[in-house]
Amino acid sequence: MGNNMELDYEMFCYQCEQTANQKGCTKLGVCGKTPEVANLQDLLIFQIKGISCYARPLIEKGTPMDKSVVSFIENVLFTTLTNVNFDVEVHVELLRESQRIKEELRAYAGAPSQPTLHATYDLPQTKTEMLRDAPIAGIMYDKSLDPDIRSLRQTVLYGLKGISAYGHQARELGYYSDEADDFYILALEALTDDRLSVEELIRLTMRTGEMAIEVMKKLDEANTTIYQNPAPQKVNVHLKKGPFIIVSGHDLKDLEMLLKQTEGTGIHIYTHGEMLPCHGYPGLNKYPHLAGNFGGAWQDQQKQFDNLPGCILMTTNCLMRPRDSYKDRIYSTNVVGWDGVKHIGKNENGEKDFSAIIEQALELGGYPEDQDVQEILVGFGHHATLGYADAIVDAVKSGKLRHFFLIGGCDGARPGRNYYTEFAEMVPQDCLIMTLACGKYRFNKLDFGEVAGLPRLLDIGQCNDVYSAIRIATALADAFGTDVNGLPLSLIISWYEQKAVADLLALLSLGIHDIYLGPTLPAFLSPNVLQYLTDTFHLKSISNARDDIRTCLGQAV
């Protein structure tokens, strides 16, 4: 369907930080999502809510839930996360599968927990008919809904989407949490229940944060068991002579499979974006052709991939509309997709054949000569950082180390994010900076030197490594005989998509307060919900770097 046809549909989406006018995208998503895709995604979420209405009674009876159903729900949540999948036909096929699953559960389980339209609705066969029905699934469809109820429901849903990204990564490695798997269903069903009060939905929101921690813990277990604990590692951020493949996203297993299949081919493998922390894992950096890291954060990919003499593999989000100058050399895998982009799927054994991207990388040939070497340091997960715990405690007690700043999160293209660069540059020399997620690219190539014999910038890892940050903070709090809020620690968080929502809810569920959030506050937070978060957790909107640093350090502004 052409763009003119696509734009005939209306849409409403406000799940990301860059949503139009800080209110909602109604004509075209700032992410590149068309109204056609947006409507199909709304209907997919509607369908998995309906599936959950039939599945919840089974869980409550103690009937083990079929993991294929859980995996489907997880994949749908992940597919609808910002910058993951823009392929119309993929959404249509997922919708048809959702109806098949719903009908099977309906026949097996009998009456749903809630006889809402989510449960009783039957999906039509054609895409045209699906799009005709899609408005019933829209966020703003029920104009009479209490805005605080809508706000909390959407906050839980976006938290679930973030959780699904981490759950998918862990499941790819054979790890999962039964508790989190059940929570997908229990929470989605609860979002259809008009009897739930604001107070009950607030409790569900905090429970979503607890499940985010549970899933991140499981993913950390998967990564560190299979690839060992990350350790400090220098990474070259310039490219070498010869053919190459750039691996973007977050998925460690895809990187490992590609590394195995490119051994001895002469192809260099470079990480991109959130794959940078992979260099810290011994199970991955043992491959000598894992040669370095390319480029910066996800939002720069169109410019940095332009006319690249190599190939790109997108393993998870964040995919932007590929330019024609490189669309023929970008590949997707897992749930990622864009119409016209080559997709690498699994075979019946769960394995992937990367021969097509390997052959194309060899044909393209790469760069004719080496670039000058420039190295940065990564690999400070909780195991590595806590190896310095005694030195850190001694440095604080002796006055050599005054304060910790965690600066990081999801990056984005909107003006105003230079705040995070300015903040990092203004942090006093007797303070230590921890960072994680793609927000680090705002400053991770700068030289921050050392403090008390430690690097002043510690790269903790991917966005899911908020779990590492929690482990580090909790251990330090124990060492000082206090709680996390009693530490000389400030959290300066940038957010863009729904994994950042899950991470924020995780921190709030632990009772951590005085978090600085920006560049703007979520459009899906109603004034009353925002006031609740401000009053309860002292959630703060960023102002300017100099004043915020002074406030964090207890200095007069």
Side-chain angles (χ1 to χ4, degrees), residues 231-238 269-271 275-280 285 290-294 373-379 441 444-445 459:
Q233 180 79 15
K234 290 183 178 180
V235 181
N236 185 13
V237 294
H238 289 169
I269 304 298
Y270 298 98
T271 57
M275 296 298 283
L276 171 61
C278 293
H279 292 271
N285 65 39
L290 181 60
N293 179 257
F294 170 84
V373 173
Q374 180 188 349
E375 294 181 324
I376 59 175
L377 192 60
V378 303
Y441 282 101
N444 71 333
K445 294 183 177 73
D459 185 343

Side-chain angles (χ1 to χ4, degrees), residues 54-72:
Y54 290 101
R56 178 166 188 153
L58 297 176
I59 291 174
E60 292 176 337
K61 289 176 185 175
T63 304
M65 182 51 53
D66 186 334
K67 290 299 183 184
S68 67
V69 174
V70 175
S71 182
F72 177 80

Side-chain angles (χ1 to χ4, degrees), residues 416-465:
R417 289 180 178 265
N418 57 319
Y419 164 93
Y420 297 94
T421 310
E422 294 170 1
F423 195 106
E425 290 178 320
M426 290 181 184
V427 168
Q429 292 297 310
D430 59 353
C431 300
L432 189 147
I433 302 169
M434 296 182 288
T435 191
L436 48 75
C438 60
K440 69 168 71 79
Y441 282 101
R442 291 281 166 179
F443 48 81
N444 71 333
K445 294 183 177 73
L446 303 176
D447 183 3
F448 288 94
E450 294 187 347
V451 58
L454 300 167
R456 283 188 64 236
L457 180 67
L458 303 182
D459 185 343
I460 295 173
Q462 295 182 338
C463 50
N464 47 279
D465 288 309

Side-chain angles (χ1 to χ4, degrees), residues 45-89:
I45 296 299
F46 190 83
Q47 279 285 87
I48 61 172
K49 288 178 181 176
I51 289 169
S52 298
C53 288
Y54 290 101
R56 178 166 188 153
L58 297 176
I59 291 174
E60 292 176 337
K61 289 176 185 175
T63 304
M65 182 51 53
D66 186 334
K67 290 299 183 184
S68 67
V69 174
V70 175
S71 182
F72 177 80
I73 290 172
E74 187 173 72
N75 284 353
V76 165
L77 287 165
F78 192 12
T79 297
T80 61
L81 189 145
T82 302
N83 289 96
V84 174
N85 196 299
F86 303 80
D87 192 317
V88 170
E89 294 309 314

Side-chain angles (χ1 to χ4, degrees), residues 107-123:
Y108 176 71
S113 59
Q114 291 288 322
T116 64
L117 186 57
H118 303 85
T120 60
Y121 171 77
D122 286 322
L123 185 82

